[in-house]
Amino acid sequence: MKTTVIRVSTGGREVVHDITAECREFAHEAGGDGLLHVFVPHATAGVALIELGAGSDQDLLAALRDLLPADDRWRHAHGSRGHGRSHVLPALVPPYATIPVIAGRMALGTWQSVSIVDLNVDNPDRQVRLSFLTGS
């Protein structure tokens, strides 16, 4: 298995951050057929395969604001107002995704991108582990 860690700065704001290029490069360097596993080792971020740049990323953030309001309802209450919602996020947007790779290319759908979803404005610095498991 090949693995690496990339660093992502989300800028201290709610964001859907595109990491497709980094994933594409890693899959290409790993080469061959296999599975690319993308994992965010944080309790307050997720990984989503979603169309980006056509408004879907902003729609996702709006939906998450509706589902997980940044208010004082959360029992997990340290950090900025509504911080507890960031700890619920990974139950809705899991902290991982696995993507098939064929001949060194991710087998994503036409409009799919790999992104980090981060509502935690208190932690703008993220790590993402990319792992490539070679097929037999």
Side-chain angles (χ1 to χ4, degrees):
M1 180 172 76
K2 297 176 183 177
T3 189
T4 192
V5 173
I6 62 172
R7 300 197 184 283
V8 174
S9 178
T10 58
R13 58 182 167 52
E14 297 178 356
V15 68
V16 177
H17 183 88
D18 189 2
I19 60 167
T20 308
E22 294 92 333
C23 292
R24 185 180 296 121
E25 181 180 336
F26 180 72
H28 178 73
E29 288 174 4
D33 298 343
L35 296 173
L36 172 63
H37 189 72
V38 181
F39 176 66
V40 181
H42 298 281
T44 58
V47 177
L49 301 180
I50 188 171
E51 178 181 8
L52 298 174
S56 298
D57 41 351
Q58 292 305 313
D59 289 341
L60 175 58
L61 290 175
L64 290 171
R65 281 185 211 109
D66 289 344
L67 288 170
L68 305 169
D71 59 22
D72 294 327
R73 72 182 69 202
W74 307 101
R75 290 185 184 104
H76 188 108
H78 71 84
S80 62
R81 186 170 190 253
H83 177 76
R85 74 190 185 126
S86 295
H87 288 274
V88 175
L89 173 73
L92 302 174
V93 180
Y96 59 86
T98 303
I99 303 153
V101 175
I102 301 167
R105 295 184 58 169
M106 292 187 297
L108 292 172
T110 301
W111 303 112
Q112 285 181 316
S113 295
V114 185
S115 63
I116 301 304
V117 179
D118 190 357
L119 302 181
N120 184 356
V121 299
D122 297 328
N123 185 6
D125 299 311
R126 299 299 188 165
Q127 295 180 13
V128 182
R129 178 164 298 280
L130 305 178
S131 300
F132 185 80
L133 182 61
T134 304
S136 55

